[in-house]
Amino acid sequence: MKEQDIQALLGKLPRLKDEIRHVIVGQEAVLDQVLITLLAGGHGLLEGVPGLAKTLLVRTLAKAVELDFRRIQFTPDLMPTDILGTEVLEEDHATGKRFFKFNEGPIFANIVLADEINRTPPKTQAALLEAMQEHEVTYAGKTYALPSPFFLLATQNPIEQAGTYPLPEAQLDRFLLHIKINYPTEQEELNILSGTTGTGQAQVQPILSGEEVLQLRQLVRQVSISEDLLAYVNQLVRATRPDTTPVAFVKSYCRWGAGPRAGQALVLTAKARALLQGRFAVTEGDICAMAQPVLRHRVLVNFVAEAEHITPDRIVDELLQSIRLPKAVLS
């Protein structure tokens, strides 16, 4: 791409955020993390109590990005075929021969919202594994490619709530980011009440096309990162593993650490964050900002930690305090 084309493309990112802000009040960090997930080519898991606009955020993003969008409501009786599709018996009227035809399910879209994913049993949750990792679906021995770009955002209620099934570790690891949504501030909540209870309704215009999303994903991978920062990411991820970590806090409270996919996710999301801010080089700040959403669902705490209310986020904070870049690199 030419320099002027790159700058024109990057100039659409602030416009994309502004368009989403027409509907979504506050939640700036959440919005940034969702866009970083999109730019990095991964999938996002949004967690928060009901009523915090998780579904609305995904719907609004789908309107602002000109792509095919499908929503799947996960319920206890949802079956894998309700997601992937199924074969139906059809007849060729010209020859009279019968044949099976695969009818695509709602997973065959550019942006897929898996709404309340942890309200369906693990058997149905697992139907997403191949789609999320390989961007394809296998049914009856045949493989079907998903549209490109493919981007899945799942929402879940906190696992402490009734009627939820915790996602298995293998599936959690396939989410690039675990994004937590908290309650809005007092002023933000007042703005929500004012802006959503009248007659006016915000309109969202498409800003990015599917081709532009693919171009941005290529640009993300071209963002530079120094060897020192790569080594820093590697140290952070390896330090989450209790058997080999040099951090005593992790040894005491961590049952299982993150794998190599976490390091890849941390590098890619740091690059995407840099690009979102108009930079073509990763800084330590990018890595630190993405550490919690990248690692919180890949670090399992032990029973001692649960008893003392030590969360994965607390473990990541301790890691960032204990493992620092050399001063020579920072300067």
Side-chain angles (χ1 to χ4, degrees):
M1 293 179 65
K2 296 180 180 179
E3 178 67 24
Q4 59 184 19
D5 295 332
I6 292 175
Q7 294 303 324
L9 189 57
L10 293 180
K12 290 191 173 186
L13 292 177
R15 291 171 52 200
L16 177 63
K17 291 179 66 173
D18 288 341
E19 202 67 30
I20 295 173
R21 287 192 192 106
H22 290 164
V23 176
I24 302 299
V25 178
Q27 304 291 1
E28 288 296 319
V30 172
L31 176 56
D32 281 346
Q33 289 174 27
V34 168
L35 293 180
I36 286 168
T37 308
L38 175 67
L39 295 177
H43 311 291
L45 177 63
L46 285 76
E47 181 180 323
V49 299
L52 294 186
K54 300 184 296 296
T55 303
L56 180 62
L57 172 58
V58 181
R59 282 189 175 278
T60 305
L61 173 65
K63 290 179 181 178
V65 180
E66 206 168 10
L67 293 172
D68 186 26
F69 169 71
R70 301 281 180 85
R71 174 181 177 270
I72 307 171
Q73 180 64 54
F74 280 66
T75 57
D77 60 347
L78 190 74
M79 298 297 290
T81 52
D82 296 328
I83 300 172
L84 305 179
T86 187
E87 285 187 338
V88 294
L89 185 63
E90 294 195 353
E91 182 178 341
D92 188 330
H93 297 292
T95 63
K97 290 184 177 180
R98 293 183 175 184
F99 59 94
F100 282 101
K101 179 183 178 183
F102 180 69
N103 280 357
E104 297 177 349
I107 194 69
F108 286 85
N110 297 115
I111 298 180
V112 176
L113 168 60
D115 213 3
E116 295 188 299
I117 189 174
N118 62 337
R119 292 201 179 277
T120 199
K123 176 183 177 181
T124 304
Q125 293 173 1
L128 295 173
L129 289 173
E130 183 184 13
M132 293 174 68
Q133 186 62 30
E134 280 83 28
H135 293 190
E136 61 188 25
V137 166
T138 300
Y139 188 93
K142 294 182 180 179
T143 300
Y144 304 89
L146 294 173
S148 182
F150 175 68
F151 177 51
L152 185 138
L153 279 171
T155 69
Q156 73 170 12
N157 302 121
I159 59 173
E160 295 83 4
Q161 292 202 340
T164 59
Y165 300 83
L167 293 176
E169 288 79 4
Q171 184 151 19
L172 283 172
D173 196 36
R174 282 168 168 78
F175 285 103
L176 189 72
L177 295 184
H178 180 184
I179 304 167
K180 288 196 172 181
I181 304 181
N182 297 315
Y183 288 109
T185 65
E186 182 177 357
Q187 185 58 51
E188 288 170 351
E189 196 159 359
L190 183 61
N191 293 340
I192 291 170
L193 294 176
S194 174
T196 59
T197 56
T199 57
Q201 191 171 11
Q203 299 297 320
V204 178
Q205 302 299 323
I207 302 297
L208 287 178
S209 66
E211 183 62 32
E212 288 171 329
V213 170
L214 292 175
Q215 290 173 351
L216 284 166
R217 289 182 174 182
Q218 287 299 316
L219 285 178
V220 165
R221 291 183 172 268
Q222 295 172 27
V223 172
S224 65
I225 181 171
S226 69
E227 292 296 325
D228 293 307
L229 288 176
L230 278 176
Y232 178 54
V233 169
N234 198 37
Q235 285 182 314
L236 283 175
V237 173
R238 292 178 63 83
T240 64
R241 302 164 192 168
D243 293 340
T244 57
T245 183
V247 182
F249 194 87
V250 174
K251 282 185 181 293
S252 300
Y253 295 113
C254 195
R255 178 162 58 97
W256 200 261
R261 189 181 282 145
Q264 296 171 323
L266 191 48
V267 171
L268 274 176
T269 54
K271 287 185 173 187
R273 183 177 187 269
L275 193 71
L276 190 62
Q277 296 186 356
R279 293 181 282 108
F280 285 89
V282 173
T283 66
E284 183 195 18
D286 294 321
I287 294 169
C288 293
M290 302 313 303
Q292 282 192 352
V294 165
L295 295 174
R296 64 166 55 113
H297 57 302
R298 295 180 166 101
V299 172
L300 300 182
V301 297
N302 57 26
F303 293 115
V304 177
E306 291 178 0
E308 298 183 17
H309 305 290
I310 303 294
T311 64
D313 283 357
R314 172 75 184 280
I315 289 176
V316 175
D317 283 339
E318 292 290 335
L319 283 174
L320 293 174
Q321 290 296 322
S322 302
I323 300 175
R324 307 299 295 268
L325 276 172
K327 292 183 179 180
V329 177
L330 294 174
S331 59

